[in-house]
Amino acid sequence: MIEKIRFSPVFALASRILLTFIFWSSGLAKLFDFQAAVAEMEHFGVLPAAPMAMAVIFVQLTGSALVISGRHVWLGAGALAAFTIMTIPIAHAFWQMTGEKAFMEMMFAFEHITVVGGLMVVATVATAVKSVPSHQPSLG
């Protein structure tokens, strides 16, 4: 029964939706409150703020859509991973901080690295499943 659930299309779709939740929910929030997105860019010194906010929204929503759709998963996951890594020195530069603030930002950075690992896994699995000739996925 577990194998049937694990390899079901519904489970695969749900896992891709959940993996990308942090990106598409953030992208939608920025889209619906663009002024807040611009203010966020300005807060972190990302200039010009409005075009950068638009670029972030595009990467978050398009990358998520590619992963969720199952089409060009490697491209969507790669874009989201690159974006996530780039946010660490911009928004979570714990090495420039002290005390509890440094610790909290370090934990955020570590979580970002973990999310990148998850995106790498989904890109790898999507590629591996497509290369298996059978309609039953097998990873080894």
Side-chain angles (χ1 to χ4, degrees):
M1 181 172 151
I2 300 237
E3 291 294 309
K4 192 173 191 175
I5 292 169
R6 251 183 39 176
F7 292 118
S8 77
V10 172
F11 186 82
L13 177 62
S15 68
R16 294 190 310 270
I17 289 170
L18 292 175
L19 177 65
T20 58
F21 174 77
I22 193 167
F23 300 107
W24 58 260
S25 64
S26 175
L28 288 174
K30 286 174 178 62
L31 183 64
F32 291 121
D33 190 354
F34 189 70
Q35 290 308 316
V38 171
E40 182 182 26
M41 297 300 125
E42 290 170 345
H43 171 77
F44 289 112
V46 178
L47 301 172
M52 291 304 290
M54 288 188 281
V56 167
I57 292 166
F58 178 81
V59 168
Q60 289 181 318
L61 295 180
T62 303
S64 296
L66 289 171
V67 171
I68 291 168
S69 73
R71 294 179 44 93
H72 305 293
V73 173
W74 63 271
L75 180 60
L80 294 173
F83 166 77
T84 302
I85 290 296
M86 288 189 297
T87 66
I88 294 173
I90 295 169
H92 306 291
F94 62 89
W95 54 91
Q96 297 176 347
M97 303 170 188
T98 59
E100 189 172 330
K101 176 78 172 157
F103 178 76
M104 292 302 297
E105 293 301 328
M106 183 176 71
M107 291 296 102
F108 285 127
F110 288 0
E111 288 176 357
H112 280 41
I113 292 167
T114 300
V115 169
V116 168
L119 290 164
M120 291 167 69
V121 168
V122 78
T124 302
V125 169
T127 303
V129 168
K130 287 185 181 192
S131 68
V132 174
S134 159
H135 47 49
Q136 289 190 336
S138 173
L139 300 178

